[in-house]
Structure formats: structure tokens, C-alpha cells
Amino acid sequence: MTSGPHAAGDEHALHLTWAQAREAAAAAARALPPAEVPLVRAAGRSLAEPLTALRDMPHYTSSAMDGWAVCGTGPWILADPGEPLTAHQAVPIVTGGALPPGARSVLRREHGEVLPDEDGLPHLRVSPSAPPGSPGGGADLRQAGEEAHGGDVLLKAGSLLGPAQLALAALAGYDAVNVTGRPLVRIVRTGGEVVESGLPGPGLVRDVFSYLIPPLVEAYGGILVGHRKIGDAAAEWAAALSDEDAAADHATAEGASRAGAAHDGAGSPAAPAGPADVVITTGGTGRGGSDHFRDIVAQMGGRLIVDGVAMRPGHPTVLAELPDGRFFVGLPGNPLAAVVGLVTVGEPLLAALSGREPLAAVELPAGEVFEPELRRTRILPFRRMYGLASPAAGSGSGMLRGLARADGFMVVPPHGLELGAPVACIPLPWGRPLGEGAPSSSAKAKAAPTEKAKPKRRTVGSQDPVDWSALDA
């Protein structure tokens, strides 16, 4: 792992640009090794190696219908279950039942009838309503190996494991699968002024990070295994960041069900997962008396990889690495600033640990003029309107209204932007897809014109609903 050049306790003003901070975070870690994970914890993971059939699938010939397994032509004498069949014998069979020795075909229940012969003994006959040729040879049989033969590749390496893939693995006889590594993540929310429910009083604020950060962690490849809230005391910070009291973490339902799944898959779902690969904190990254992040990192022998980013909001975002290879991501205490910090530093770090490339920016034309702002990159939530990236209203560092409606973040460089100039945009998990980018104004001029369907003309007195679809690309 690549560490930053500065010890956590050094007094310095390291302010990387937005692009430099993302590059530093992506270069800080290597992909975690593959691990064997129980099927119940493997949803959303990717196979580290091909999944092969352990034997023929199915491994025995069975009936595809309820009815009778028969040998030879009818009528048939009903034999005792479990005995091999000889010519003109039959035995009842259910769907999925193993074909008994000697049986050659299956007569469907609706195509057969059991009637007494002249001696009053029951015989199986083909009913008059049965189609010609019944029973149809092997038509109603599931032959051994018809889905796969032993050694066949069922799923390629890299396949994402969803419900169908996990069911296939179970059908093949697997209890666990070898998957690519994903980082374990703990979240530590700080601040004695934060309340968990209801309307906060003066001087208090409502917790929003419980709803913001965990879904983003999962979307960016992390496995949430712990979630706790602490106050502002240095001792609480030290205990939380050292993972000394990991069992006291409030594990979310999703995190608890996957505890321990990233590396060895051991332990019960409710058991603590051990030290996390990444600890994400909210608040405490400033330079005030109650901001302990840097002091705790220094006490633990860690070093700072990113100590502040020349961006707005989210300037006091910090990334640190400990000697044992764990990472701390310190996010600012304001909600929008925290999400910007997580996208800037946390996303490329989690991507590197998960063995994938960081999110790629998509270029869109700017929907507004931006004046230069010396040395600072502006990260703004935006909506794609008229094909342009237009900044959303309500985008202060402590606001969420703009973020809630945003398709992504637009990255406005310090030198500003003219209207229609290309701007880098980072998608958000809940936003509309940004596509492969929109061409710049010069590219549009060179491109061959494409004819768009014209909307139906709407008269002034029309009662039809207004078609607003042209507002969004």
C-alpha cells in the first residue's frame, strides 16, 4: 500500500486538488484477496473463479410429471414400489422421482387410468383421451446430465451473484463460493448535539448520516459491518477508531447478516466481524478543540494520505492509513460536504480495495456560467436539464434538498466555466443514468444532424396533459 509523505502529527497545509485527492485514494490500496463465502452471504459478490459442475446435473434420471413409470407396452401390471420393472409392469411416480431400474418412459397421470381386468386385478391402461403415441418415450423424463455434465463451467469468473446464480450454485451442490474481496466498513458518527429521532431543539441537529452513508458504502463496494454513534470526548474517539469495542457497534440488519463475509466467511451472522478494513467517521476533521481525528491517527502511528482537499464543499476531508493496513476516512460534519468527501476520497479507496476502477466522470455541457474561484474546485449537485448539467437549488454544505434531486455531482474547475462548456460529472447511485456523455458544442457542430420526433402541437384550449419530456435529456 502506498502511504502519504506526512505523519499525522505534522503541522502542514496539504491541500490536494480534487483530482489529486481521488488519484491518491485510488493508489493507496490494493485489491483484497479472494475469499470463500457461504452462499447466504454471497449475494452481490462476484465470482473469483469459474463455478463448475461437481457432477452431472441432474445426477439421476427422473420423471418430469406425476404419473407412472412404465416398462414396455401396455396394459401394465402395477408392481411394488422400489422393485425393478420388467416388461408390462408400471409403478406410480411423482415429479422429480427417480426412474426405477427397468423403466423406459413415463405415462402422465392424465393420460392413464387404472381399471380391473377380467379377473378383477388392477391394470394400468392408456386412457382414450390420451394423445396418440402415449407414453411418449423420454418426452416426460429429465435425463441425467441434461443440464450440465461434471466439470462443465456453470458461471464464468467475474459473474455477479444474484438470486438465480446463487440458486444455481446450490443446485450444483455448493455451500460456499470463492468470491472477489470486498472491504469491511465501519461507520462512526460523532457529535453530542445529534439526536436520533423527531424534531431537534435549539442547538441540536437530526441524524441524517444513518440514511446517507450506509447505502453509499454498499453502492461503492463496501460491506457495512458496524455502525455506532459516539460523543465528542477524545476517549470515545480513541476506542471507536481502535476497534477495541467493536462488539458494541450497532450493526445494521444488512451489515449483521454479512459480518465476516469479506475475508473468511466465518462466524455467525450476528457475530462481530473483527477489525474493519475501512473506518468512516463523520465530523471531527477540523482543527478545533473537539476535533480529534488527526490526534488519534498520530497516536496509532498512522499517516495522512489526504489532509484536506482544495474543494467546496468538503474541504476538511481526510484519508489516513495505519501501519496494519487499515484506512480511516474522515468526512466533514455537514451532510452535503460529507457526501462530497465520500465521493472524492471514499469511493476510489473502496474501488481499489474491491479491485475495480473508480467511477469515471462523464462530460456534459454546463448549464450555467461559473466565475473563477481561486484554487478551489466546486462540487455541485446537478440535474440534467435540456441536456445540460444545471446546478440544483439548495446545495449549501449543510443542505440536502439539492442532493435529493440530483443526478450527480458536477466538478467545476477553479478557472470557472462558460455556458455550454464541457464539465466533468460524477453519477450518483440514485440519479438518472448520465449515458456516455454529451458532445461539446464544437462536436455538435461537426456531428450529422439527427431528426427528432416532433411533439404533438397542443392548442390553447386543449385538455390534454402537458408533455414536459423535452426538459430532460
Side-chain angles (χ1 to χ4, degrees):
M1 297 184 181
T2 303
S3 299
H6 300 277
D10 292 346
E11 289 295 332
H12 61 277
L14 174 60
H15 298 304
L16 301 178
T17 67
W18 181 81
Q20 289 171 339
R22 284 183 62 81
E23 291 173 1
R30 298 175 182 174
L32 293 170
E36 190 173 73
V37 174
L39 289 185
V40 294
R41 298 176 186 168
R45 307 292 291 272
S46 296
L47 284 175
E49 59 187 21
L51 186 79
T52 59
L54 301 176
R55 60 182 179 183
D56 288 353
M57 296 173 58
H59 59 283
Y60 62 92
T61 300
S62 63
S63 175
M65 296 287 173
D66 290 345
W68 296 267
V70 300
C71 179
T73 59
W76 299 273
I77 299 171
L78 295 179
D80 293 330
E83 296 295 326
L85 300 184
T86 59
H88 311 299
Q89 283 188 323
V91 67
I93 195 169
V94 296
T95 301
L99 201 69
R104 296 293 180 265
S105 57
V106 169
L107 178 66
R108 297 188 184 191
R109 182 169 297 279
E110 60 268 26
H111 295 163
E113 55 185 11
V114 178
L115 298 173
D117 62 6
E118 59 271 14
D119 297 324
L121 298 176
H123 279 63
L124 172 66
R125 301 175 183 271
V126 177
S127 65
S129 61
S134 296
D140 293 324
L141 295 179
R142 295 171 180 163
Q143 298 290 345
E146 69 177 8
E147 183 169 6
H149 293 291
D152 286 354
V153 175
L154 303 177
L155 294 171
K156 295 180 180 180
S159 297
L160 185 66
L161 296 175
Q165 293 76 22
L166 292 173
L168 176 61
L171 183 66
Y174 287 88
D175 297 317
V177 286
N178 204 30
V179 296
T180 56
R182 280 177 57 189
L184 301 178
V185 180
R186 294 188 192 279
I187 297 173
V188 178
R189 297 177 291 119
T190 71
E193 76 283 4
V194 179
V195 298
E196 305 292 319
S197 62
L199 289 172
L204 302 177
V205 295
R206 177 68 186 268
D207 165 47
V208 297
F209 291 123
S210 295
Y211 309 99
L212 268 178
I213 306 303
L216 285 170
V217 166
E218 289 285 338
Y220 294 150
I223 296 177
L224 186 63
V225 294
H227 188 178
R228 70 197 305 191
K229 179 184 180 297
I230 63 173
D232 297 318
E236 292 181 84
W237 272 82
L241 295 188
S242 65
D243 262 350
E244 290 176 355
D245 195 19
D249 280 357
H250 169 66
T252 62
E254 186 172 18
S257 68
R258 298 184 181 180
H263 298 316
D264 57 14
S268 64
D277 301 296
V278 180
V279 177
I280 297 176
T281 64
T282 61
T285 58
R287 302 279 182 178
S290 61
D291 298 322
H292 307 294
F293 185 95
R294 293 172 183 80
D295 293 339
I296 301 301
V297 171
Q299 292 171 17
M300 299 176 72
R303 59 176 58 198
L304 302 177
I305 299 170
V306 175
D307 185 9
V309 184
M311 65 182 181
R312 178 168 65 90
H315 162 75
T317 298
V318 186
L319 171 62
E321 183 185 12
L322 295 187
D324 60 8
R326 287 185 293 150
F327 293 94
F328 293 161
V329 177
L331 302 179
N334 284 313
L336 180 59
V339 175
V340 169
L342 183 60
V343 170
T344 300
V345 169
E347 187 277 326
L349 175 68
L350 295 176
L353 291 168
S354 301
R356 65 170 177 84
E357 292 296 319
L359 286 176
V362 175
E363 276 197 351
L364 294 174
E368 188 171 307
V369 175
F370 292 91
E371 298 296 329
E373 185 167 323
L374 184 63
R375 299 181 62 185
R376 284 204 294 187
T377 298
R378 282 156 284 181
I379 313 297
L380 301 173
F382 78 93
R383 283 182 63 80
R384 189 170 180 175
M385 305 291 289
Y386 297 101
L388 307 176
S390 298
S395 56
S397 63
M399 299 180 182
L400 286 174
R401 189 173 181 180
L403 184 65
R405 301 180 69 246
D407 294 320
F409 282 123
M410 58 191 303
V411 183
V412 180
H415 58 72
L417 289 170
E418 295 181 357
L419 181 65
V423 59
C425 298
I426 299 292
L428 284 167
W430 57 82
R432 295 169 298 177
L434 302 184
E436 296 183 359
S440 64
S441 56
S442 59
K444 285 182 179 178
K446 297 177 183 177
T450 56
E451 189 170 337
K452 292 186 178 180
K454 294 182 179 179
K456 180 181 177 182
R457 184 178 294 276
R458 185 177 185 275
T459 62
V460 175
S462 173
Q463 299 299 313
D464 294 335
V466 179
D467 181 8
W468 296 103
S469 60
L471 290 178
D472 297 331

